[in-house]
Amino acid sequence: MSSVIPTYDQGLIFFNYTTQQNKNVTVFLIGGFGAGSNTPADGFEIYFFMNPVYIRNGSIVNYVSDPSIGSELLYAQGLLIFPYSNGDYFMVQWDPYWIESGASSASVFNLFNVTSNNGYISSITPYGPLGNNGFGIQQTSNYFYVCMKATYNPSTGWLYTQVTDLNSGETATLSYNVGLKYSAGQYTFAIGGNTGGSYANWGIVYATVYSS
């Protein structure tokens, strides 16, 4: 496991993990935030099946940061990192800003398909629409903790994601067929947290990857 924090307000933690034939792979994290002066936003991200390139001293040095992804499918995304990779990958983000800002028809999740060409990113495409499927965070909820669990089924291509408020028990869920299938082997998975402006300072206290 190695970490990279390449910008002032974005960070990723990477896991090299060997997936197993006909078994699901799950990325699990527990994290929280310190409240800023604005409504909490940005949240956490989980990245699946990367093969990062251009690694120096344990850190990935080539990536697309805070891209302008113009789409009616995205209401909020915040600051994001998309590492260069040999091969396509996907990322799911939980961003609680949607409901607190009154966008009740939007999804609390964002899901991205990242395609690569010779180690460089050629496109970043959001999936959707994903539907209304979550909960928001009140601005006063400092020391708020959530667990985020994302499970990919290699035989069907489906991604199942769940975020649970460990204080209230509220749950946000997403089930979506990402349309990508990967053979068993070694890949890099990652979890991310962002701090966009004064929209909360996100931190991760525990993370793991496992098969089932």
Side-chain angles (χ1 to χ4, degrees), residues 73 98 103-109 127-134 173-174 176:
L73 300 175
W98 69 287
S104 58
S105 62
S107 173
V108 72
F109 293 100
Y127 292 91
L130 303 179
N132 185 317
N133 48 14
T173 59
L174 173 69
Y176 201 88

Side-chain angles (χ1 to χ4, degrees), residues 57-96:
N57 296 326
S59 294
I60 293 177
V61 296
N62 286 74
Y63 53 89
V64 174
S65 177
D66 192 22
S68 296
I69 307 173
S71 172
E72 69 280 2
L73 300 175
L74 300 176
Y75 179 79
Q77 69 178 66
L79 301 173
L80 300 175
I81 299 174
F82 292 94
Y84 287 13
S85 174
N86 283 318
D88 302 343
Y89 63 92
F90 62 92
M91 181 267 274
V92 58
Q93 177 194 23
W94 172 72
D95 187 339

Side-chain angles (χ1 to χ4, degrees), residues 105-118:
S105 62
S107 173
V108 72
F109 293 100
N110 293 318
L111 184 58
F112 299 93
N113 180 1
V114 183
T115 59
S116 300
N117 184 14
N118 294 323

